[in-house]
Amino acid sequence: MPTFVAAFFLPYTVDFHDEPNDAQQHLQQQQQVPPPRPAPPIRIPSHKSLHELQQPSLFTGPTPPTTPDPNADLEEFFAQSRPTAAKHFLKHSDARAFIRNDSHIDEWDSSAGIFNQPRSRAGPAPPDDILEYAKAQEKLKQQRERKQSPRTRSSRASSGERFTGDNWTIEPAVQGNGGLANAVRAAQNSQNVEDVLWVGTLGFPTDTLLDGKKEEISERLENEYDALAVYASDSDLDGHYAHYCKTILWPVLHYQIPDHPKSKAYEDHSWVYYVNINQAFADKICRSYKRGDTIWIHDYHLLLVPGMIRKKLPDAQIGFFLHSAFPSSEVFRCLSTRKQLLEGMLGANLIAFQTSEYAHHFLQTCSRLLIVEATADGVQLEDHFVNVTSLAMGIDPGALATAREEQEVRDWIKVIRERYADKRLIVARDKLDNVRGVRQKLLAFELFLNKHPEWRGKVVLLQVATSTNEKQSELVATVSDIVTRIDSVHSTLAHQPLVFLKQDIGFPQYLALLSVADVLMITSLREGMNLTAHEFVYCQDGKESQSKKHGPLILSEFTGSAAVFGGHQLSVNPWDYQKCAEAIRIALEMTDTERARRYERLRHVVMTQTGEYWMSALSKQLTQVHEEHYQRDTMSIPRLSVTQLTQKYKAATRGRLFILDYEGTLALHGSVSLQVITSPQRVIDTLNELLEDPLNIVYIMSGRTPEELERLFRQCPGLGIIAENGCFVREHSPNASETIPWLEFPDLEQMQLWKGAVRQILQYYHERVEGSWIEERHCSLIFHYENAEDMDGAARQAGDCANHINDACESQRVHAVPTVDKAVVIEPLDWSKGSAAAEVYMKLRHQAMEKQQEEARISADGSADEELSAEGKVNSEAVAKSTGVRLASQTPAPIDFLLVAGDDREDEIVFRWANKLADGNGLAGKVRDVTTVSVGKRNTEAMATLTQGTTGLVTALQRLARSC
């Protein structure tokens, strides 16, 4: 079945030939406008130097006067082979096709310089001033209310006629996620993933195109390239990408909180555009979807799409992968649309991140902001479970090897080696934005040159800094000052220590630099995964340059790649200039043996965790997760057949075990003093009727204390009880008059140690939530806020409380779980209803084994006395040898009928344990007839559901008790 791969940019775009170029016409119009009057010169106070007004140096004295840019000739040198569609973006059918993993031309409406495409008709960005912004919004609202005039329609139609010709071609796009495209292609070539159908935008404005032309392009893309084009208005696309994604969402995901005045205006006006684009993607996928298809949504541009698709396709198999970083909950909560974004992501069956750190941040954010239970495996929602995982993306070594064999790459290797002969070359390539750490890298390099004068004249930093469309004049000015200072202080007539290229370079040049570099330096302040590091490791095998191989990798600890490489790189904190400068020295002075040792470890990671493996593993995991979700869905689980259950009940001969949850299963939720039980006497009578049969063993399990449960079930002598979710057990007794003591699994003194610390935390939140109260049990604490006056504020405090406790008390083996009952339960991790149920069963098994061995001992020929151990107990191995009785692991199950009933998350672990007994998995053997029943409509691992609630279960139990 097809796999939909949805990303904001398609890996294809359109190039219109023999058509007037919008970009050229726009440039000509600008050139005809008289140039603006020059600004008056900046007056510098006599007591301040120019250097003092520029970026201050942390390492040197005053900056010498500005000198001409020495990099100008080098820009021309590297610009001999600028990227063009013909030379660097091969056809999809070409076996050598390889898309740059780190393509830096990823801005919306930015490929017009390479392809002939229309320009955007989107309106201007919102003004900075709040009052002006309000006026602009009101004006925009009035324009929307007015109908479009015929003059406007005709003008648009006439301009669209400029792109109506038939001379256009489909070209590989220069924007988008190249690593994703390479991974998908590699998985297709290995036949691990088949029938991929891309979904995305064309990467350029389409308002100019007529509907007939859009349909024509769509048909060719779908028929020849297996791609579905998503069309939206230029305003929607511009507001979504340039305003919301790049100005709001991208900075927050990378720990850069937007604090400039325009960010608020962008967020207010562009959210609706973000929703519109996500809805357009969801609608496009839903129209083409067939039952059995797989849907993969990629990256932060489309966070709402999984939830939108889930509303229309409840049974769809949906995966979401976030390629960027995901911040801590403290940062993500700064978004005003945080709840909508999280709920949109949770529409997927599987949510995947680059590293476990980002997955942990997501789980913590969901727990804190949505007040849901987050486990190590995912998020438990009210009606379903969403799996969360992490798997780092990789490169395609096969395609990269083919690209390296190009003659142009070899030519550039030769040219660069000759130009930088006898120099140690440090290579870097980054976008010039606030998260790539270019400024920090240059300051560290400057400090290195100042501290180690012996390396002056011997080392060159070649920094490729690709520009962006973002208005970051302050950063650009700061970087320019640093570049000027380094050149002025450390350059000579024969040597230039810093080559700063304010342009991108061609792919052959890029591969050549990676092949001849001595060091690669990446100092990103935050980055999901930097595949440049992976490509550098691959190109350092010495195949194309024997004298330059096994180069060390200096890598920021804040990149996803740092977690993947496992410390075999030189890990640095970009803000620690001293350590970064020291890392440069270590890299340059590293011995060949050490370089080779580190390189082999790095290469192993690159060659095993490839893009193909990433895509294939995620696809398999999504299939498995979807199948599990389907099996747990109440629509897929059959109703409990009381007739079949009765037949199994009658067929039991060895014994029957009932493990029944109390609250929500036999009774409604509520406090002990206000406990409401449907026909209370009916429940008591039913339990007593079951206990009258000597084959029946009945246990009630609850989160309540032993004292409370004893009081509730004092009329049921012989009833077994599991209290406080498995921390206490009172065993079943066939003798109604016998008093059975409680088994305490935890050490109550140890419980007091963590409860003291947790109680202080709960008291802090109790004082901040009016109407809240704290309930203390023997082994748990519960923070209740169901009576809070401000429910929204109380929910936020409850989420903070749960995360606070989980972070502070992780080493004490306790966890805090928000519940649907508007409470936070803090309980130990080591005991549960499942562990108590297993203990009850193993006790029964041990009793059955001892009984069997005793019978075998009596029937033995007088040698039974020799089989007693020092404690007077039967030695099972000795008896087995002398009598042929099977060992404990082979002893038949003590029962042949097991019924487990429950209604909430705490009962799922008991369902899981019982289902294993039904399958015979594990050392406990196999029980012939096992039935697990979920009372309610939540997703579950139970074998059957009972939607009639507590009344239906009591009726079924009565029927069983009276059937024999």
Side-chain angles (χ1 to χ4, degrees):
M1 301 297 291
T3 297
F4 290 85
V5 178
F8 183 70
F9 292 110
L10 281 177
Y12 311 102
T13 190
V14 179
D15 190 12
F16 295 91
H17 306 286
D18 301 330
E19 297 280 356
N21 190 317
D22 263 2
Q24 295 175 355
Q25 287 193 358
H26 181 71
L27 181 61
Q28 293 173 1
Q29 292 174 1
Q30 286 185 330
Q31 291 175 347
Q32 293 173 1
V33 177
R37 296 178 59 185
I42 299 177
R43 298 185 179 275
I44 304 175
S46 57
H47 64 282
K48 289 184 178 289
S49 66
L50 176 62
H51 169 65
E52 290 177 303
L53 297 179
Q54 296 174 341
Q55 167 69 21
S57 171
L58 302 178
F59 320 110
T60 63
T63 303
T66 302
T67 57
D69 185 3
N71 292 312
D73 61 327
L74 288 170
E75 288 190 6
E76 294 298 324
F77 170 76
F78 282 98
Q80 295 176 26
S81 180
R82 295 299 298 275
T84 64
K87 296 183 66 175
H88 299 287
F89 303 99
L90 303 174
K91 305 298 181 185
H92 179 67
S93 58
D94 195 322
R96 303 168 301 165
F98 182 83
I99 302 175
R100 295 180 68 151
N101 289 321
D102 60 344
S103 176
H104 286 194
I105 312 177
D106 65 347
E107 304 299 329
W108 166 249
D109 189 24
S110 63
S111 61
I114 297 176
F115 302 114
N116 182 23
Q117 296 170 341
R119 291 187 61 83
S120 175
R121 293 175 175 272
D128 295 348
D129 185 81
I130 299 297
L131 295 178
E132 292 297 326
Y133 170 72
K135 294 178 182 179
Q137 289 296 96
E138 183 63 27
K139 184 178 180 181
L140 180 61
K141 181 179 179 181
Q142 294 175 358
Q143 291 176 350
R144 290 175 178 171
E145 293 176 352
R146 291 197 301 266
K147 294 183 178 180
Q148 192 178 28
S149 65
R151 177 180 177 182
T152 304
R153 290 195 298 267
S154 62
S155 172
R156 177 175 173 178
S158 62
S159 63
E161 293 176 357
R162 300 197 298 104
F163 291 91
T164 58
D166 294 331
N167 192 9
W168 54 272
T169 56
I170 303 294
E171 302 288 347
V174 298
Q175 297 128 314
N177 193 327
L180 172 61
N182 292 330
V184 171
R185 181 186 296 110
Q188 285 182 279
N189 293 338
S190 63
Q191 297 183 345
N192 289 325
V193 177
E194 300 179 357
D195 299 328
V196 170
L197 198 61
W198 286 93
V199 183
T201 67
L202 292 171
F204 65 87
T206 57
D207 276 3
T208 302
L209 302 181
L210 298 178
D211 292 341
K213 181 59 62 179
K214 293 179 182 178
E215 185 176 351
E216 184 181 350
I217 293 172
S218 295
E219 290 179 355
R220 185 181 299 183
L221 281 170
E222 184 172 359
N223 295 333
E224 300 180 16
Y225 296 89
D226 296 326
L228 301 177
V230 176
Y231 292 108
S233 69
D234 293 357
S235 297
D236 282 352
L237 289 166
D238 188 63
H240 164 277
Y241 189 86
H243 297 170
Y244 192 81
C245 285
K246 285 301 182 182
T247 308
I248 303 299
L249 198 51
W250 170 266
V252 170
L253 292 177
H254 293 80
Y255 290 78
Q256 305 285 324
I257 307 300
D259 57 356
H260 51 85
K262 185 172 286 191
S263 64
K264 178 60 178 173
Y266 276 147
E267 187 169 21
D268 285 344
H269 102 288
S270 59
W271 169 250
V272 64
Y273 299 129
Y274 186 85
V275 174
N276 290 344
I277 292 298
N278 279 256
Q279 191 65 62
F281 271 81
D283 293 343
K284 189 70 174 182
I285 294 172
C286 290
R287 283 194 296 268
S288 302
Y289 174 84
K290 300 295 181 184
R291 184 173 286 108
D293 293 347
T294 301
I295 302 172
W296 270 105
I297 314 297
H298 288 271
D299 226 358
Y300 65 99
H301 314 91
L302 308 175
L303 296 179
L304 302 179
V305 174
M308 292 175 171
I309 296 177
R310 182 65 64 194
K311 291 179 180 179
K312 295 186 177 181
L313 305 173
D315 299 328
Q317 182 173 320
I318 306 173
F320 178 83
F321 189 89
L322 185 66
H323 293 262
S324 66
F326 193 91
S328 66
S329 58
E330 284 292 343
V331 176
F332 193 84
R333 73 186 306 174
C334 295
L335 290 168
S336 64
T337 56
R338 58 200 181 186
K339 184 176 180 181
Q340 296 94 315
L341 294 172
L342 291 175
E343 290 176 344
M345 297 174 68
L346 290 171
N349 299 103
L350 175 66
I351 302 175
F353 298 87
Q354 298 278 18
T355 69
S356 58
E357 177 189 359
Y358 305 148
H360 174 73
H361 286 169
F362 175 77
L363 292 170
Q364 186 183 58
T365 302
C366 289
S367 174
R368 189 171 188 176
L369 302 184
L370 299 182
I371 321 301
V372 295
E373 180 186 358
T375 69
D377 297 325
V379 178
Q380 178 65 63
L381 302 179
E382 186 174 353
D383 57 349
H384 69 282
F385 187 82
V386 178
N387 287 76
V388 176
T389 188
S390 62
L391 185 62
M393 192 178 186
I395 63 173
D396 182 5
L400 189 60
T402 303
R404 290 177 66 197
E405 295 175 357
E406 294 293 323
Q407 183 59 43
E408 189 173 1
V409 176
R410 295 190 175 97
D411 293 341
W412 274 107
I413 289 176
K414 180 180 179 182
V415 170
I416 297 173
R417 289 179 61 185
E418 291 176 352
R419 188 174 185 92
Y420 296 100
D422 301 326
K423 304 290 185 184
R424 304 295 293 274
L425 190 60
I426 304 174
V427 170
R429 180 177 177 273
D430 310 275
K431 279 186 182 179
L432 192 54
D433 60 25
N434 286 320
V435 301
R436 308 292 177 168
V438 175
R439 170 181 172 274
Q440 287 74 13
K441 184 187 307 177
L442 295 179
L443 289 174
F445 182 65
E446 180 184 22
L447 179 60
F448 166 76
L449 294 176
N450 292 332
K451 292 184 62 176
H452 301 282
E454 69 276 11
W455 278 102
R456 296 176 185 175
K458 301 178 182 179
V459 63
V460 175
L461 171 61
L462 202 160
Q463 173 69 65
V464 179
T466 60
S467 61
T468 68
N469 290 340
E470 300 176 19
K471 304 299 182 181
Q472 302 191 65
S473 56
E474 183 178 353
L475 175 63
V476 173
T478 299
V479 169
S480 297
D481 292 343
I482 301 173
V483 171
T484 300
R485 186 168 61 240
I486 293 175
D487 285 331
S488 301
V489 173
H490 298 287
S491 292
T492 65
L493 293 177
H495 175 71
Q496 179 183 341
L498 174 62
V499 177
F500 188 85
L501 300 180
K502 294 171 289 187
Q503 63 173 40
D504 202 0
I505 58 177
F507 192 52
Q509 295 175 335
Y510 170 72
L511 292 180
L513 281 177
L514 295 184
S515 300
V516 302
D518 293 282
V519 180
L520 177 70
M521 189 170 186
I522 298 171
T523 54
S524 300
L525 306 184
R526 187 69 61 171
E527 194 168 4
M529 188 64 56
N530 192 299
L531 294 183
T532 297
H534 298 240
E535 292 174 345
F536 168 76
V537 171
Y538 184 81
C539 292
Q540 283 289 307
D541 57 1
K543 180 178 179 181
E544 301 297 337
S545 179
Q546 282 293 331
S547 60
K548 297 292 186 78
K549 64 179 182 179
H550 304 166
L553 171 64
I554 300 176
L555 185 61
S556 166
E557 65 186 53
F558 301 119
T559 64
S561 299
V564 174
F565 286 142
H568 302 297
Q569 75 284 5
L570 293 174
S571 186
V572 296
N573 178 355
W575 298 103
D576 190 340
Y577 305 121
Q578 297 282 350
K579 292 295 180 61
C580 289
E582 181 65 13
I584 295 175
R585 183 195 66 79
I586 293 175
L588 294 175
E589 297 178 359
M590 188 177 295
T591 64
D592 292 344
T593 302
E594 178 65 11
R595 285 157 60 103
R597 184 190 68 82
R598 289 176 175 267
Y599 175 78
E600 290 302 324
R601 304 289 178 83
L602 295 175
R603 184 175 177 83
H604 174 74
V605 173
V606 171
M607 299 302 294
T608 54
Q609 300 188 28
T610 63
E612 175 192 349
Y613 171 79
W614 170 81
M615 185 66 185
S616 302
L618 281 179
S619 299
K620 293 178 182 177
Q621 189 169 358
L622 176 58
T623 301
Q624 178 182 352
V625 163
H626 180 261
E627 182 64 25
E628 292 176 357
H629 292 182
Y630 177 79
Q631 293 175 355
R632 297 178 188 176
D633 189 85
T634 55
M635 298 296 291
S636 303
I637 301 174
R639 295 185 182 91
L640 175 66
S641 173
V642 180
T643 301
Q644 294 181 5
L645 183 64
T646 303
Q647 293 174 354
K648 295 177 182 178
Y649 180 87
K650 292 180 178 180
T653 58
R654 287 200 297 269
R656 309 184 190 98
L657 177 60
F658 294 81
I659 302 180
L660 309 173
D661 177 52
Y662 174 55
E663 295 160 303
T665 306
L666 287 176
L668 301 178
H669 289 273
S671 66
V672 174
S673 58
L674 300 176
Q675 190 65 45
V676 179
I677 302 180
T678 305
S679 302
Q681 193 58 44
R682 183 187 176 198
V683 174
I684 298 298
D685 292 343
T686 301
L687 294 176
N688 284 327
E689 287 181 24
L690 289 173
L691 290 170
E692 288 177 359
D693 191 325
L695 287 179
N696 292 343
I697 302 171
V698 183
Y699 277 83
I700 295 296
M701 55 184 180
S702 171
R704 296 199 176 277
T705 64
E707 295 81 4
E708 293 170 340
L709 294 175
E710 279 186 337
R711 185 166 66 252
L712 286 169
F713 296 102
R714 61 182 178 273
Q715 300 180 40
C716 297
L719 179 70
I721 301 177
I722 298 173
E724 293 204 27
N725 291 332
C727 292
F728 298 89
V729 171
R730 191 183 73 179
E731 294 182 3
H732 158 84
S733 173
N735 185 359
S737 61
E738 183 181 3
T739 301
I740 303 297
W742 285 89
L743 297 177
E744 299 177 358
F745 295 112
D747 185 338
L748 296 184
E749 293 184 1
Q750 292 293 326
M751 292 292 102
Q752 294 302 320
L753 296 179
W754 67 260
K755 285 171 69 175
V758 171
R759 196 181 295 109
Q760 294 180 2
I761 298 175
L762 292 180
Q763 185 63 32
Y764 172 87
Y765 290 96
H766 167 60
E767 294 172 356
R768 283 154 180 77
V769 179
E770 291 289 339
S772 65
W773 57 285
I774 301 172
E775 177 186 358
E776 182 169 353
R777 298 174 180 174
H778 295 291
C779 300
S780 62
L781 292 169
I782 305 176
F783 177 73
H784 295 272
Y785 62 96
E786 66 270 18
N787 298 325
E789 297 178 0
D790 179 11
M791 189 55 64
D792 291 338
R796 288 194 297 271
Q797 294 289 343
D800 291 346
C801 175
N803 279 275
H804 189 172
I805 294 172
N806 286 331
D807 291 340
C809 303
E810 182 179 5
S811 61
Q812 301 185 50
R813 299 293 297 168
V814 297
H815 68 152
V817 180
T819 69
V820 295
D821 303 320
K822 295 181 175 55
V824 177
V825 179
I826 303 94
E827 57 189 3
L829 282 168
D830 296 324
W831 296 277
S832 67
K833 290 181 179 178
S835 64
E839 180 70 20
V840 167
Y841 177 80
M842 293 307 295
K843 186 74 173 180
L844 295 174
R845 186 178 178 82
H846 181 69
Q847 293 173 355
M849 182 187 69
E850 285 189 335
K851 180 180 180 181
Q852 187 180 23
Q853 291 177 344
E854 179 66 17
E855 293 174 352
R857 185 184 65 82
I858 294 175
S859 63
D861 53 350
S863 59
D865 291 339
E866 299 178 3
E867 313 301 337
L868 293 176
S869 63
E871 294 80 13
K873 294 184 179 180
V874 178
N875 186 313
S876 60
E877 292 188 9
V879 171
K881 292 179 181 178
S882 62
T883 64
V885 177
R886 286 172 291 185
L887 296 177
S889 61
Q890 300 172 321
T891 303
I895 58 174
D896 47 12
F897 176 91
L898 172 61
L899 174 63
V900 178
D903 75 304
D904 57 22
R905 67 159 191 95
E906 295 169 340
D907 303 321
E908 292 297 318
I909 189 171
V910 191
F911 295 154
R912 196 176 306 124
W913 163 79
N915 292 340
K916 289 182 179 179
L917 288 179
D919 297 334
N921 297 329
L923 299 176
K926 180 178 182 178
V927 177
R928 187 185 65 195
D929 293 323
V930 176
T931 303
T932 51
V933 184
S934 176
V935 178
K937 298 181 179 180
R938 60 177 281 128
N939 70 316
T940 179
E941 294 190 40
M943 301 177 183
T945 60
L946 190 64
T947 57
Q948 295 93 334
T950 60
T951 302
L953 179 62
V954 173
T955 301
L957 294 176
Q958 282 182 333
R959 183 171 172 181
L960 293 180
R962 299 168 184 174
S963 64
C964 293

